[in-house]
Amino acid sequence: MSSTHGGRPPAVDKALAWPGVQALIDCHGRNLVLDALRAGLQQWREGHIGDEQTLVAEVQASIEQVLAPAFKPVFNLTGTVIHTNLGRAPLPPEAINAIAAVASGASNLEYDLHSGQRGDRDAHVEDWICRLTGAEAATVVNNNAAAVLLVLNALALRREVIVSRGELIEIGGSFRLPDIMARAGCKLHEVGSTNRTHGHDYADAISSRTALLLKAHTSNYVVQGFTRSLSEAELATIAHQHDLPLVVDLGSGSLIDMQRLGLPFEPVVREVLAQGVDVVTFSGDKLLGGPQAGIIAGRADLISRIRKSPLKRALRCDKLTLAALSAVLRLYANPDTLAQRIPALRLLSRSQTDIEQTVAALLTPLTSWAGDPIAVDACEVLSQIGSGSQPLDRLPSAALRLRSQHTNKRARSRQLRELARQLRQLPVPVIGRIADDSLLLDCRCVEEPQALATQWLNHRFNAEPLA
Ligand SMILES: *Cc1c(COP(=O)(O)O)cnc(C)c1O
């Protein structure tokens, strides 16, 4: 690049004394300003900057960039409602208020206000989990992967765990049941085949080394065709005949019947426990609609052993999670209002007509953002629940569709990727998905289109960005 200004830059000490730089130091501290100033002086040396005013403006801009939050809200227009990479379940206001109430000061996190003695942090959620699931006892850890690890470690250390080959699951992000089992210090005893496992497979595998039977909900895939797996009730019978516990990893674990909301069937925790299952584990931020957490519920004697494990201490939840979870559980007191009050359930049960209205409201703002070279229209799409829930079931939804007018397929594809990129660069990034030669923006998760509309009206797609 050509040099617009000649000359050597000022010495660092001299530039530090400039009033503009001093004002930045007062505001942001010396370290940050010094780093930015050195970078600015380097640009001066290379000929891109040549005067005090430009240098100060450059230093200020670079400090603002460093200080801008990197972790921020986005618009989830991917069509996957409980999207692990986008933070899973949105929290209801009750949970956010509960977090705020305990975040800034002391609380009775592990303090019994009645006796004045040390208390247990599980006390804030255990009664509600039991009430909603019928379990005798419950405990909570950081996430469901931690819950599985803890249960296996506490109940089956150095012993065998029997699992069907059809359930050796891998959840995204390197959660593989055989690996978790090894880390938990137990030995995996696989039985049956990928598609068929019978009762005698389990019974034959049981020995004096067996600690428990494990069933994992195959949440992100389906084994179809010539298949056989045992129900929880059948497995519980076999386990109990041998005086062993049956543990079920439910994954999503719904507290209510999803079909009542017009959604695909998902196992209900209470019904699973009622079939004789001794311990279940499930996530707090999947279908439950709460914060990231792993809930362990079941027989009191087993929960007590799990709670005493040193791993429980390492995997426990913080006060913010417990505050949010306890607020969300209380919303389940009234099942009739859940579909409205729990955002994840509200979004999942939104009607296509309602989503179409959001799409209609956003069509003009998006057309204005995209400009002439891009064709924008509305179309029908299918959303997904996400996080492994019912992978084959789709929810009828509506989307904004952007298409490139190029005749060349590669040029179209490049332009779609550029559209997606510039949507991600907006102040509140917009995340869509590219499919069928279009960029689709599924509006299921947009409940208040105004902020999105304003953002599109205030910015423009740059069809020919600088290389
Ligand atoms: C999602 C899932 C997990 C992991 O739960 P996290 O809350 O993501 O840690 C474990 N098992 C099953 C069956 C799951 O679906």
Side-chain angles (χ1 to χ4, degrees), residues 88 143-145 169 171 175 217 219 249 251-252 283 285-286:
R88 291 201 186 156
N143 53 45
N144 188 37
I169 54 171
I171 317 284
F175 176 94
H217 184 49
S219 44
D249 172 20
S252 290
S283 284
D285 56 350
K286 292 184 181 172

Side-chain angles (χ1 to χ4, degrees), residues 352-393:
Q352 193 177 28
T353 327
D354 194 32
I355 303 166
E356 276 164 1
Q357 284 176 11
T358 304
V359 169
L362 288 169
L363 206 50
T364 307
L366 181 63
T367 309
S368 139
W369 174 80
D372 286 341
I374 308 297
V376 181
D377 66 354
C379 69
E380 293 187 355
V381 290
L382 295 170
S383 322
Q384 304 188 36
I385 297 177
S387 277
S389 295
Q390 297 304 342
L392 299 187
D393 285 299

Side-chain angles (χ1 to χ4, degrees), residues 148 151-152 161-164 167-168 177 181 188 202 212-216 235 245-249 279 281:
V148 175
V151 169
L152 291 172
V161 173
I162 301 178
V163 191
S164 159
E167 295 167 6
L168 292 174
L177 204 46
M181 200 132 352
L188 168 65
Y202 286 94
L212 57 90
L213 268 53
L214 177 69
K215 186 175 173 68
L235 268 180
L246 169 62
V247 174
V248 176
D249 172 20
V279 172
T281 67

Side-chain angles (χ1 to χ4, degrees), residues 27-50:
C27 192
H28 303 293
R30 192 168 185 276
N31 292 346
L32 210 52
V33 176
L34 191 56
D35 285 347
L37 184 63
R38 288 209 170 105
L41 290 171
Q42 180 59 31
Q43 288 196 46
W44 191 316
R45 233 164 266 129
E46 289 165 7
H48 309 311
I49 294 177

Side-chain angles (χ1 to χ4, degrees), residues 175-218:
F175 176 94
R176 276 186 174 176
L177 204 46
D179 299 341
I180 293 280
M181 200 132 352
R183 294 299 168 124
C186 31
K187 189 165 183 307
L188 168 65
H189 189 140
E190 304 171 30
V191 295
S193 61
T194 308
N195 55 330
R196 285 169 75 84
T197 305
H198 304 268
H200 59 78
D201 291 325
Y202 286 94
D204 292 349
I206 294 173
S207 74
S208 59
R209 294 182 300 276
T210 311
L212 57 90
L213 268 53
L214 177 69
K215 186 175 173 68
H217 184 49
T218 56

